[in-house]
Amino acid sequence: MRPIRLPEPPGVDGMETPEIFSGGGAGGATVVRRAVLIGNASPGAENQCLGLARALGLADNLTLYRVTRPRGGINEWLHFLPISMHKFIDQVLRQFFSNTRFAIVIQGRKPYRVLNAGSVGLSAVLEADVKKIVTVARDTYEKEGPTLVVACGWDTISYSSLIRKVASDNVFVIQIQHPRSRLDRFDLVVTPRHDYYALTASGQQEIPRLFRRWITPQEPPRNNVVLTVGALHQADSAALRLAAIAWHDELAPLPKPLLIVNIGGPTRNCKYGVDLAKQLITSLYNVLDSCGSVRISFSPRTPWKVADIVFKEFAGHPKVYIWNGEEPNPHMGHLAWADAFVITADSISMLSEACSTGKPVYVIGTEHCKWKFSAFHKTLRERGVVRPFTGLEDISNSWSYPPLNDAIEVATRVREVIAERGWTVGG
C-alpha cells in the first residue's frame, strides 16, 4: 500500500484554524516554513515523516526525497551493507557488465536495475542528494528561513546526519526511529518507547551476554530523544473529517456496526501463517451476528496463502466486503467510518492509526510476537486502547479510551526545542 499524502485542512469561513496548523510566531523570530523529508521507499517510514510535517503545519511546503537501494538479482543479498557501500558495489558491477558482450540473468531478471521512485501523492519524489539539499538550504536561508529536515529509516541516517554536520546553522534535523548510536548527530530523535526494550529486565534476559554490546540502544533516552507509544501517521482528526466526507456515499449507508479488519503480514518479530488466518476466520464467524457490515483489507506484506484462505471463505458473503487492492484506497475512509477494528498484531503502523480514533480496537496474533513487539502490545493493553480478539465479543457494545496523539505530542516538543534556538514553526 503506497503512502497517502493528505491535503491540509481547507480554510472555512467562520471556523478558527486549529492551533496545530497555524503558523507564525513572535515578532522578529526566525520562522521555519518548509520541510525536507527523506524516506526509504517504505510506506510506513515515509508516512511517519509526512505525519510529523502535517502536525507541524508544513504539509503544503515540503519536498520528499527518497533513498533507494539497487534492486534485483544479487542486490537482494546485499541489503545488510551500509547503503553507500551497496551503491558503490552496484556501480562497479554495472560498469563491469556494461563492458561485456553478454548479460547475466538471474531467475529471469537482469541482476542490476533500480526501481522507479514511485509516488506518494506528491508531484515528484526525488533521489536523496545531500549536496543539493544543503545547497538549497544555505542559498535560500536569508529569504525563506531555516529548513526542517525529517528522515525515517535506517538507510536515511547517513544522509540526515551529514546534512546537519555541514549545514547546522541552516537546518533542524529530526531522525525518526532509533539510529542505534551517536544520537548527538541529530537535533532530535523520535522513537517509540519499545525501542528501549533491550534495557529492561525482560529484554536483558532475552539477549545472550555475548551479543549485548551490539543490541541497541545502549543507554537511556537523552534530552534530544522524544519517545512515542507507536508510529507517527497522518490520520489526525482533520484528515478523518475529510475522509468521512470523501467516503460518505459508499460507507455511510452500510448497516451498523461496521467492523474493519486489517490484515498485515508476518515479520521477523511476529511470525505467523495460515494458522492465524484460520483463527481469524473462526472468530469473525462468531461475531458476525453482532456486526452490520464487515470490510477486510490486506497489506502488501500479506502472504498469498493467508489472503487466499480469507478470500475463499468470505467471498460472496452478504455482510463481508474484501477490498481488491485497486485504487482508490479506502483506508482513510475505513478509519473515519469504522465502529470497531480487528487488526493483526504485526503492524505497528495500522494499530497506531486505529488507536488514534478512540474507537474499539481488537488485536489478533499477539501470542506470535516477541522482543520489542511484545513490549509495544503490553503498553497498548496497559493504556486500555486495545483488547484481544477472541470471537466472543459483541461488536455492537462499544467502548472508548483517550486516543493516541503521538504526532501532536512530538510536534509540541519540536516547537519547544526549536524555540530554544530563537526559531518558530509556521505553515
Side-chain angles (χ1 to χ4, degrees):
M1 180 163 41
R2 294 178 301 172
I4 305 168
R5 161 80 190 286
L6 297 173
E8 284 285 349
V12 180
D13 293 340
M15 292 186 64
E16 182 179 354
T17 301
E19 181 181 350
I20 195 169
F21 296 109
S22 62
T30 301
V31 182
V32 180
R33 299 185 183 277
R34 54 184 175 163
V36 164
L37 312 184
I38 306 176
N40 62 355
S42 164
E46 293 180 355
N47 273 330
Q48 294 206 65
C49 295
L50 290 163
L52 181 54
R54 179 177 172 83
L56 289 166
L58 300 176
D60 281 342
N61 193 14
L62 62 82
T63 305
L64 177 61
Y65 291 86
R66 182 172 289 163
V67 177
T68 56
R69 285 182 178 267
R71 299 289 180 90
I74 195 173
N75 283 302
E76 304 304 325
W77 297 90
L78 300 179
H79 284 202
F80 69 94
L81 295 173
I83 188 166
S84 57
M85 184 180 297
H86 187 178
K87 286 189 171 184
F88 173 76
I89 293 174
D90 176 70
Q91 289 175 354
V92 171
L93 293 173
R94 283 176 183 266
Q95 183 65 34
F96 174 77
F97 286 113
S98 68
N99 293 331
T100 64
R101 295 183 179 180
F102 58 90
I104 295 179
V105 178
I106 299 177
Q107 295 180 348
R109 297 181 298 174
K110 291 185 177 180
Y112 307 110
R113 64 188 179 89
V114 179
L115 295 181
N116 189 303
S119 170
V120 291
L122 301 167
S123 58
V125 180
L126 306 174
E127 177 68 22
D129 184 330
V130 170
K131 183 177 180 180
K132 180 178 180 180
I133 294 171
V134 168
T135 299
V136 172
R138 284 175 170 171
D139 292 350
T140 60
Y141 178 81
E142 292 299 328
K143 181 179 179 181
E144 299 186 29
T147 301
L148 180 74
V149 178
V150 184
C152 184
W154 174 247
D155 284 344
T156 68
I157 292 172
S158 60
Y159 290 75
S160 59
S161 59
L162 183 56
I163 290 169
R164 181 177 183 267
K165 181 178 181 180
V166 299
S168 58
D169 292 337
N170 311 110
V171 300
F172 188 91
V173 177
I174 301 172
Q175 186 69 36
I176 301 176
Q177 295 181 349
H178 203 286
R180 303 184 185 179
S181 64
R182 297 174 54 204
L183 274 60
D184 57 354
R185 293 175 290 171
F186 314 97
D187 293 296
L188 275 183
V189 172
V190 178
T191 191
R193 288 180 175 85
H194 58 256
D195 271 354
Y196 285 87
Y197 178 69
L199 301 184
T200 66
S202 298
Q204 289 290 301
Q205 290 176 0
E206 295 183 38
I207 308 171
R209 184 174 298 275
L210 178 64
F211 299 109
R212 286 182 186 176
R213 63 176 298 183
W214 289 283
I215 300 296
T216 54
Q218 292 286 335
E219 56 192 16
R222 297 183 179 183
N223 292 334
N224 69 329
V225 176
V226 184
L227 297 180
T228 65
V229 175
L232 306 185
H233 54 81
Q234 302 182 76
D236 57 37
S237 57
L240 294 182
R241 287 196 296 271
L242 292 174
I245 295 171
W247 287 90
H248 176 274
D249 291 348
E250 181 170 340
L251 301 182
L254 295 178
K256 299 291 185 177
L258 170 59
L259 177 65
I260 297 298
V261 181
N262 290 331
I263 303 173
T267 66
R268 180 178 58 184
N269 292 313
C270 195
K271 298 179 180 180
Y272 61 83
V274 295
D275 53 335
L276 187 65
K278 293 176 180 178
Q279 178 186 343
L280 174 62
I281 289 169
T282 299
S283 297
L284 283 176
Y285 271 122
N286 289 339
V287 302
L288 271 179
D289 286 344
S290 65
C291 297
S293 309
V294 177
R295 289 174 69 98
I296 300 175
S297 294
F298 303 105
S299 86
R301 293 187 297 104
T302 308
W304 178 85
K305 289 183 179 180
V306 171
D308 186 59
I309 191 173
V310 173
F311 184 83
K312 287 180 177 178
E313 190 67 38
F314 290 111
H317 193 288
K319 278 191 175 183
V320 180
Y321 168 86
I322 302 177
W323 180 49
N324 61 8
E326 296 182 0
E327 297 292 343
N329 187 335
H331 181 63
M332 291 300 298
H334 286 172
L335 288 172
W337 283 99
D339 295 298
F341 302 90
V342 171
I343 301 175
T344 53
D346 57 275
S347 180
I348 292 176
S349 295
M350 290 193 296
L351 283 165
S352 299
E353 290 173 331
C355 291
S356 71
T357 66
K359 302 173 184 178
V361 178
Y362 299 99
V363 184
I364 186 167
T366 54
E367 67 276 11
H368 297 279
C369 296
K370 62 180 183 178
W371 191 236
K372 62 182 183 180
F373 273 55
S374 62
F376 169 66
H377 287 289
K378 180 181 179 183
T379 298
L380 295 184
R381 291 193 300 271
E382 290 175 346
R383 292 174 68 111
V385 299
V386 301
R387 296 178 183 178
F389 185 53
T390 64
L392 302 177
E393 296 78 11
D394 183 345
I395 302 302
S396 63
N397 289 337
S398 187
W399 47 277
S400 61
Y401 48 86
L404 298 186
N405 288 307
D406 281 331
I408 294 175
E409 293 171 4
V410 172
T412 299
R413 181 58 181 156
V414 171
R415 292 177 184 276
E416 292 172 353
V417 177
I418 282 182
E420 294 173 4
R421 285 196 181 184
W423 299 354
T424 61
V425 181

